[in-house]
């Protein structure tokens, strides 16, 4: 049989595998999803823009800035330092047109996410790191903040110096929240989660995302995790969906995690299934190692459907739309050991 005939016959006899259409049902918009319980006030801040028909890009930036202002262990200048006692910040932002910007290992600048947006909008580049990133920020009007550790960070660093081991804890949300409106406090010693990843779908059907973090506590000076890397800590494709991650960044980078999640959504998998498949990819590579670490993915598709999946129990995410304002526990592979 000629190849052309074979193809013709095949097309008639075997219909293409049908995948669920990403565009078939009504879109739930606007909607915003963020990592962890701490995403709840972040979403509320972003909603001031998103709920007023604002742009998703402005909303995710506002949410990230809110988080960068808090006295938490894991985001902004109050975050825990590296092993040299220096706080270094990573952030990125991405819009519906695949415009993106990022900063890595940025010191003494309060709002890395806004520096990332400036890089995106005003330079031909995507990622600036270290001294150059700081110089860029200063040249663009971002003030240089004092080089001081927050009280909490100082205490944690002093304690860490006694042992000087680097053993990233499994990130879990330990704090019990009393309902969706309970205020979230970072310095109660009970929450050890890190990065803030935010994904939003606006009324114009545009998706954007932002990530901000002080990265792994007590990392080697200069270490950069997944968070500022497009395709690792954040990926947005307006035809399909968006994804973000939290946890041990090295494992996310190894599989280009959020790009992978979005590609699974492109194949027709739901956001939760896509996150699960990416988590399974990490586990398959090294089961023993994966038992001891945490990675969580959070995703949203163009319909406003969302989902998450993590290696260990304890990853959570926060959602806000006109229909709900809620913290959800993520599904997971292992119970924390
Ligand atoms: N992913 C971040 C990093 O590796 C940390 C975290 O989310 O826990 O820097």
């Amino acid at each position: 049989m000629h190849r052309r005939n074979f193809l013709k016959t095949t097309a008639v006899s075997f219909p293409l595998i049908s995948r669920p259409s990403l565009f078939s049902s009504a879109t739930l918009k606007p909607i915003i999803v963020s990592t962890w319980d701490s995403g709840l006030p972040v979403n509320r801040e972003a909603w001031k823009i998103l709920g007023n028909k604002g742009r998703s890009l402005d909303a995710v930036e506002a949410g990230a800035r809110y988080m960068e202002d808090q006295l938490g262990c894991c985001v902004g200048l109050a975050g825990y330092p590296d092993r040299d006692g220096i706080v270094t910040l990573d952030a990125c932002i991405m819009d519906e047109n695949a415009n993106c910007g990022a900063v890595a290992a940025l010191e003494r600048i309060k709002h890395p996410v806004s520096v990332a947006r400036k890089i995106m909008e005003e330079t031909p580049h995507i990622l600036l790191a270290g001294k150059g990133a700081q110089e860029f920020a200063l040249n663009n009007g971002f003030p240089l903040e004092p080089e001081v550790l927050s009280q909490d960070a100082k205490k944690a660093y002093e304690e860490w110096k006694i042992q000087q081991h680097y053993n990233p804890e499994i990130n879990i949300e330990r704090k019990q929240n009393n309902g969706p409106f309970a205020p979230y406090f970072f310095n109660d010693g009970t929450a050890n989660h890190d990065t803030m990843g935010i994904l939003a779908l606006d009324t114009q059907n545009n998706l954007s995302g932002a990530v901000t973090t002080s990265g792994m506590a007590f990392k080697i000076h200069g270490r950069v995790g997944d968070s500022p890397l497009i395709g690792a800590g954040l990926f947005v494709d307006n035809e399909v969906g968006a994804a973000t991650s939290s946890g041990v960044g090295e494992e996310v980078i190894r599989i280009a995690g959020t790009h992978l999640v979005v590609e699974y959504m492109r194949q027709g998998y739901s956001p939760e299934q896509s996150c699960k498949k990416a988590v399974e990819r990490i586990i398959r590579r090294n089961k023993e190692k994966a038992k001891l670490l945490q990675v969580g993915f959070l995703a949203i598709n163009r319909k406003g459907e969302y989902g998450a999946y993590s290696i260990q129990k304890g990853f959570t995410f926060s959602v806000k739309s006109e229909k709900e304002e809620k913290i959800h526990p993520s599904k997971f592979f292992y119970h924390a050991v």
Side-chain angles (χ1 to χ4, degrees):
M1 192 189 291
H2 284 297
R3 189 166 172 273
R4 199 188 299 156
N5 288 340
F6 171 76
L7 288 175
K8 260 197 216 155
T9 319
T10 312
V12 173
S13 329
F14 304 104
L16 287 172
I17 297 164
S18 78
R19 296 197 186 278
S21 162
L22 288 172
F23 308 103
S24 57
S25 71
T27 302
L28 174 58
K29 60 181 183 191
I31 181 167
I32 181 154
V33 296
S34 304
T35 50
W36 304 108
D37 292 16
S38 49
L40 205 65
V42 166
N43 290 352
R44 217 171 280 162
E45 192 62 26
W47 192 258
K48 292 176 188 166
I49 295 167
L50 206 62
N52 281 315
K53 298 192 163 64
R55 191 176 170 204
S56 57
L57 185 73
D58 296 327
V60 294
E61 183 189 8
R65 285 177 66 94
Y66 170 87
M67 195 68 189
E68 289 165 352
D69 279 332
Q70 306 304 307
L71 283 179
C73 63
C74 318
V75 174
L77 290 173
Y80 286 3
D82 60 26
R83 58 178 57 189
D84 295 351
I86 301 165
V87 177
T88 64
L89 304 178
D90 298 336
C92 71
I93 193 160
M94 188 164 187
D95 77 6
E96 71 276 9
N97 294 313
N99 296 312
C100 43
V103 278
L106 179 64
E107 293 175 31
R108 299 177 60 185
I109 301 289
K110 197 172 187 179
H111 288 300
V113 74
S114 296
V115 182
R117 182 162 177 178
K118 256 286 179 279
I119 294 166
M120 168 176 118
E121 290 178 340
E122 291 180 20
T123 80
H125 306 306
I126 290 176
L127 172 62
L128 296 183
K131 201 91 201 109
Q134 191 191 61
E135 273 165 21
F136 173 83
L138 297 178
N139 290 339
N140 280 278
F142 292 85
L144 190 65
E145 303 293 335
E147 197 175 4
V148 282
L149 293 183
S150 67
Q151 249 186 337
D152 195 34
K154 195 161 185 281
K155 188 166 167 278
Y157 182 53
E158 293 306 324
E159 280 166 16
W160 176 81
K161 274 200 294 190
I162 299 167
Q163 300 263 344
Q164 298 210 11
H165 68 289
Y166 181 61
N167 185 19
E169 258 190 87
I170 289 172
N171 313 30
I172 55 170
E173 192 70 73
R174 291 201 185 106
K175 184 172 158 48
Q176 292 298 309
N177 251 282
N178 302 318
F181 297 98
Y184 187 82
F185 300 107
F186 296 95
N187 290 323
D188 61 4
T190 57
N192 71 338
H193 60 78
D194 292 323
T195 302
M196 176 51 52
I198 312 163
L199 310 170
L201 175 65
D202 64 27
T203 49
Q204 305 301 305
N205 287 317
N206 286 327
L207 285 158
S208 299
V211 178
T212 184
T213 190
S214 50
M216 284 290 174
F218 319 127
K219 60 198 173 188
I220 294 174
H221 185 65
R223 177 266 189 189
V224 172
D226 57 326
S227 305
L229 304 183
I230 301 299
L234 175 70
F235 197 67
V236 177
D237 185 326
N238 217 45
E239 286 182 355
V240 177
T244 187
S245 61
S246 187
V248 178
E250 283 73 6
E251 302 312 311
V252 178
I253 294 169
R254 267 186 245 286
I255 62 158
T258 56
H259 182 260
L260 185 63
V261 171
V262 170
E263 289 309 301
Y264 281 131
M265 289 196 283
R266 193 189 307 280
Q267 290 174 24
Y269 292 103
S270 73
E272 184 185 301
Q273 286 166 341
S274 302
C275 293
K276 181 167 188 265
K277 287 180 81 64
V279 159
E280 286 168 350
R281 177 85 62 99
I282 294 174
I283 294 168
R284 252 202 329 273
R285 291 177 88 90
N286 192 336
K287 218 167 177 172
E288 289 314 305
K289 190 172 166 197
K291 276 185 189 158
L292 300 173
L293 55 85
Q294 175 67 306
V295 168
F297 290 108
L298 169 63
I300 185 169
N301 66 18
R302 271 187 63 81
K303 290 191 281 183
E305 295 167 338
Y306 56 80
Y309 205 85
S310 56
I311 299 181
Q312 313 286 342
K313 185 179 181 185
F315 181 47
T316 64
F317 62 99
S318 302
V319 179
K320 185 159 174 58
S321 68
E322 265 145 28
K323 281 199 190 146
E324 70 167 320
E325 180 169 33
K326 207 172 161 194
I327 296 167
H328 292 264
S330 164
K331 293 201 182 141
F332 55 92
F333 198 88
Y334 291 123
H335 285 266
V337 286

CSV table of all heavy atoms in Angstrom, one decimal, residues 196-230:
chain,number,residue,atom,x,y,z
A,196,MET,N,6.7,32.0,47.3
A,196,MET,CA,5.4,32.4,47.0
A,196,MET,C,5.3,32.4,45.4
A,196,MET,O,5.9,33.2,44.7
A,196,MET,CB,5.1,33.9,47.5
A,196,MET,CG,3.8,34.5,47.1
A,196,MET,SD,2.3,33.5,47.4
A,196,MET,CE,2.5,33.0,49.1
A,197,GLY,N,4.4,31.5,44.9
A,197,GLY,CA,4.1,31.5,43.5
A,197,GLY,C,2.7,31.9,43.3
A,197,GLY,O,1.8,31.4,44.0
A,198,ILE,N,2.4,32.8,42.3
A,198,ILE,CA,1.1,33.3,42.1
A,198,ILE,C,0.7,33.2,40.6
A,198,ILE,O,1.5,33.6,39.8
A,198,ILE,CB,1.0,34.8,42.5
A,198,ILE,CG1,1.7,35.1,43.9
A,198,ILE,CG2,-0.4,35.4,42.5
A,198,ILE,CD1,2.1,36.5,44.1
A,199,LEU,N,-0.5,32.7,40.4
A,199,LEU,CA,-1.0,32.6,39.0
A,199,LEU,C,-2.3,33.2,38.9
A,199,LEU,O,-3.2,33.0,39.7
A,199,LEU,CB,-1.1,31.1,38.6
A,199,LEU,CG,0.2,30.2,38.9
A,199,LEU,CD1,-0.2,28.7,38.6
A,199,LEU,CD2,1.3,30.6,38.0
A,200,ALA,N,-2.6,34.0,37.8
A,200,ALA,CA,-3.9,34.7,37.7
A,200,ALA,C,-4.4,34.6,36.3
A,200,ALA,O,-3.6,34.7,35.3
A,200,ALA,CB,-3.8,36.1,38.2
A,201,LEU,N,-5.7,34.5,36.2
A,201,LEU,CA,-6.4,34.6,34.9
A,201,LEU,C,-7.4,35.8,35.0
A,201,LEU,O,-8.2,35.8,35.9
A,201,LEU,CB,-7.2,33.3,34.7
A,201,LEU,CG,-8.1,33.2,33.4
A,201,LEU,CD1,-7.3,33.3,32.1
A,201,LEU,CD2,-8.9,31.9,33.5
A,202,ASP,N,-7.3,36.7,34.1
A,202,ASP,CA,-8.1,37.9,34.2
A,202,ASP,C,-9.3,37.9,33.3
A,202,ASP,O,-9.5,36.9,32.5
A,202,ASP,CB,-7.2,39.2,34.0
A,202,ASP,CG,-6.6,39.3,32.6
A,202,ASP,OD1,-7.2,38.8,31.6
A,202,ASP,OD2,-5.6,40.0,32.5
A,203,THR,N,-10.1,38.9,33.3
A,203,THR,CA,-11.4,39.0,32.6
A,203,THR,C,-11.1,39.0,31.1
A,203,THR,O,-12.0,38.7,30.3
A,203,THR,CB,-12.2,40.2,33.0
A,203,THR,OG1,-11.4,41.3,32.9
A,203,THR,CG2,-12.8,40.0,34.4
A,204,GLN,N,-9.9,39.4,30.7
A,204,GLN,CA,-9.6,39.4,29.2
A,204,GLN,C,-9.0,38.1,28.8
A,204,GLN,O,-8.5,38.0,27.7
A,204,GLN,CB,-8.5,40.5,29.0
A,204,GLN,CG,-8.8,41.9,29.5
A,204,GLN,CD,-10.1,42.4,28.8
A,204,GLN,OE1,-10.2,42.4,27.6
A,204,GLN,NE2,-11.1,42.8,29.6
A,205,ASN,N,-9.2,37.0,29.6
A,205,ASN,CA,-8.6,35.7,29.3
A,205,ASN,C,-7.1,35.6,29.3
A,205,ASN,O,-6.6,34.8,28.5
A,205,ASN,CB,-9.2,35.2,28.0
A,205,ASN,CG,-10.6,34.8,28.1
A,205,ASN,OD1,-11.0,34.2,29.1
A,205,ASN,ND2,-11.4,35.2,27.1
A,206,ASN,N,-6.5,36.5,30.0
A,206,ASN,CA,-5.0,36.5,30.0
A,206,ASN,C,-4.5,36.0,31.3
A,206,ASN,O,-4.9,36.3,32.4
A,206,ASN,CB,-4.5,37.9,29.7
A,206,ASN,CG,-4.6,38.3,28.3
A,206,ASN,OD1,-4.6,37.5,27.4
A,206,ASN,ND2,-4.9,39.6,28.1
A,207,LEU,N,-3.5,35.1,31.1
A,207,LEU,CA,-2.8,34.5,32.3
A,207,LEU,C,-1.5,35.2,32.5
A,207,LEU,O,-0.8,35.5,31.6
A,207,LEU,CB,-2.5,33.0,32.0
A,207,LEU,CG,-3.7,32.0,32.0
A,207,LEU,CD1,-3.3,30.8,31.2
A,207,LEU,CD2,-4.0,31.6,33.5
A,208,SER,N,-1.1,35.3,33.8
A,208,SER,CA,0.2,35.8,34.2
A,208,SER,C,0.6,35.0,35.4
A,208,SER,O,-0.2,34.5,36.2
A,208,SER,CB,0.2,37.3,34.5
A,208,SER,OG,-0.2,38.0,33.4
A,209,GLY,N,1.9,35.1,35.7
A,209,GLY,CA,2.4,34.5,37.0
A,209,GLY,C,3.6,35.3,37.5
A,209,GLY,O,4.3,36.0,36.8
A,210,ALA,N,3.8,35.1,38.8
A,210,ALA,CA,5.0,35.7,39.5
A,210,ALA,C,5.4,34.8,40.6
A,210,ALA,O,4.6,34.1,41.2
A,210,ALA,CB,4.6,37.1,40.1
A,211,VAL,N,6.7,34.9,40.8
A,211,VAL,CA,7.3,34.1,41.9
A,211,VAL,C,8.3,35.0,42.7
A,211,VAL,O,9.0,35.7,42.1
A,211,VAL,CB,8.1,32.8,41.4
A,211,VAL,CG1,8.7,32.0,42.5
A,211,VAL,CG2,7.1,31.9,40.6
A,212,THR,N,8.3,34.8,44.0
A,212,THR,CA,9.3,35.6,44.8
A,212,THR,C,9.7,34.8,46.0
A,212,THR,O,8.9,34.1,46.6
A,212,THR,CB,8.7,37.0,45.2
A,212,THR,OG1,9.8,37.7,45.9
A,212,THR,CG2,7.5,36.9,46.0
A,213,THR,N,11.0,34.8,46.3
A,213,THR,CA,11.5,34.0,47.4
A,213,THR,C,12.9,34.5,47.9
A,213,THR,O,13.6,35.2,47.1
A,213,THR,CB,11.7,32.5,46.9
A,213,THR,OG1,12.0,31.7,48.0
A,213,THR,CG2,12.8,32.4,45.9
A,214,SER,N,13.2,34.1,49.1
A,214,SER,CA,14.6,34.3,49.6
A,214,SER,C,15.3,33.0,49.4
A,214,SER,O,16.5,32.8,49.8
A,214,SER,CB,14.6,34.8,51.0
A,214,SER,OG,13.8,34.0,51.8
A,215,GLY,N,14.7,32.0,48.8
A,215,GLY,CA,15.3,30.7,48.5
A,215,GLY,C,15.6,29.9,49.7
A,215,GLY,O,15.1,30.1,50.8
A,216,MET,N,16.3,28.8,49.5
A,216,MET,CA,16.6,27.9,50.6
A,216,MET,C,17.4,28.6,51.7
A,216,MET,O,18.4,29.2,51.3
A,216,MET,CB,17.4,26.7,50.0
A,216,MET,CG,16.6,25.7,49.3
A,216,MET,SD,15.5,24.9,50.4
A,216,MET,CE,14.5,23.9,49.3
A,217,ALA,N,17.0,28.4,52.9
A,217,ALA,CA,17.8,29.0,54.0
A,217,ALA,C,19.1,28.4,54.1
A,217,ALA,O,19.3,27.2,53.8
A,217,ALA,CB,17.0,28.8,55.3
A,218,PHE,N,20.2,29.2,54.3
A,218,PHE,CA,21.5,28.7,54.6
A,218,PHE,C,22.2,28.0,53.4
A,218,PHE,O,23.1,27.2,53.5
A,218,PHE,CB,21.6,27.8,55.8
A,218,PHE,CG,20.7,28.3,57.0
A,218,PHE,CD1,19.7,27.5,57.5
A,218,PHE,CD2,20.8,29.6,57.4
A,218,PHE,CE1,18.9,28.0,58.5
A,218,PHE,CE2,20.0,30.2,58.4
A,218,PHE,CZ,19.0,29.3,59.0
A,219,LYS,N,21.7,28.4,52.2
A,219,LYS,CA,22.3,27.9,51.0
A,219,LYS,C,23.7,28.4,50.8
A,219,LYS,O,24.1,29.4,51.5
A,219,LYS,CB,21.4,28.4,49.8
A,219,LYS,CG,21.3,29.9,49.7
A,219,LYS,CD,20.2,30.4,48.9
A,219,LYS,CE,20.0,31.9,49.0
A,219,LYS,NZ,18.8,32.5,48.3
A,220,ILE,N,24.5,27.9,49.9
A,220,ILE,CA,25.8,28.4,49.6
A,220,ILE,C,25.6,29.8,48.9
A,220,ILE,O,24.7,29.9,48.1
A,220,ILE,CB,26.5,27.5,48.6
A,220,ILE,CG1,26.9,26.1,49.3
A,220,ILE,CG2,27.8,28.1,48.1
A,220,ILE,CD1,27.5,25.1,48.4
A,221,HIS,N,26.4,30.7,49.3
A,221,HIS,CA,26.3,32.1,48.7
A,221,HIS,C,26.4,32.0,47.2
A,221,HIS,O,27.3,31.4,46.7
A,221,HIS,CB,27.4,33.0,49.3
A,221,HIS,CG,27.2,34.4,48.8
A,221,HIS,ND1,26.2,35.2,49.1
A,221,HIS,CD2,28.0,35.2,48.0
A,221,HIS,CE1,26.3,36.4,48.6
A,221,HIS,NE2,27.4,36.4,47.9
A,222,GLY,N,25.4,32.6,46.5
A,222,GLY,CA,25.4,32.5,45.1
A,222,GLY,C,24.5,31.4,44.5
A,222,GLY,O,24.2,31.4,43.3
A,223,ARG,N,24.0,30.5,45.4
A,223,ARG,CA,23.1,29.5,44.9
A,223,ARG,C,21.8,30.1,44.4
A,223,ARG,O,21.2,31.0,45.0
A,223,ARG,CB,22.8,28.5,46.0
A,223,ARG,CG,21.8,27.4,45.7
A,223,ARG,CD,20.4,27.8,46.0
A,223,ARG,NE,19.5,26.6,45.9
A,223,ARG,CZ,18.1,26.7,46.0
A,223,ARG,NH1,17.6,27.9,46.2
A,223,ARG,NH2,17.4,25.7,45.9
A,224,VAL,N,21.3,29.7,43.2
A,224,VAL,CA,20.1,30.1,42.7
A,224,VAL,C,19.2,28.9,42.5
A,224,VAL,O,19.6,27.8,42.0
A,224,VAL,CB,20.3,30.8,41.3
A,224,VAL,CG1,18.9,31.1,40.7
A,224,VAL,CG2,21.1,32.1,41.5
A,225,GLY,N,18.0,29.0,43.0
A,225,GLY,CA,17.0,27.8,42.9
A,225,GLY,C,16.2,27.9,41.6
A,225,GLY,O,16.6,28.5,40.6
A,226,ASP,N,15.1,27.2,41.7
A,226,ASP,CA,14.2,27.2,40.5
A,226,ASP,C,13.4,28.5,40.4
A,226,ASP,O,12.9,28.8,39.3
A,226,ASP,CB,13.2,26.0,40.7
A,226,ASP,CG,12.4,26.1,42.0
A,226,ASP,OD1,13.0,26.6,43.0
A,226,ASP,OD2,11.2,25.7,42.1
A,227,SER,N,13.2,29.2,41.5
A,227,SER,CA,12.2,30.2,41.5
A,227,SER,C,12.3,31.3,40.4
A,227,SER,O,11.3,31.7,39.8
A,227,SER,CB,12.1,30.9,42.9
A,227,SER,OG,11.9,29.9,43.8
A,228,PRO,N,13.5,31.8,40.1
A,228,PRO,CA,13.6,32.8,39.1
A,228,PRO,C,13.8,32.3,37.7
A,228,PRO,O,14.0,33.1,36.8
A,228,PRO,CB,14.9,33.6,39.5
A,228,PRO,CG,15.7,32.5,40.1
A,228,PRO,CD,14.8,31.5,40.8
A,229,LEU,N,13.8,31.0,37.6
A,229,LEU,CA,14.0,30.4,36.2
A,229,LEU,C,12.7,30.0,35.5
A,229,LEU,O,11.9,29.2,36.0
A,229,LEU,CB,14.9,29.1,36.4
A,229,LEU,CG,16.2,29.3,37.2
A,229,LEU,CD1,17.0,28.0,37.2
A,229,LEU,CD2,17.1,30.4,36.5
A,230,ILE,N,12.6,30.7,34.4
A,230,ILE,CA,11.4,30.5,33.6
A,230,ILE,C,11.4,29.0,33.1
A,230,ILE,O,12.4,28.6,32.5
A,230,ILE,CB,11.3,31.5,32.4
A,230,ILE,CG1,11.3,32.9,32.9
A,230,ILE,CG2,10.1,31.2,31.5
A,230,ILE,CD1,10.2,33.3,33.8
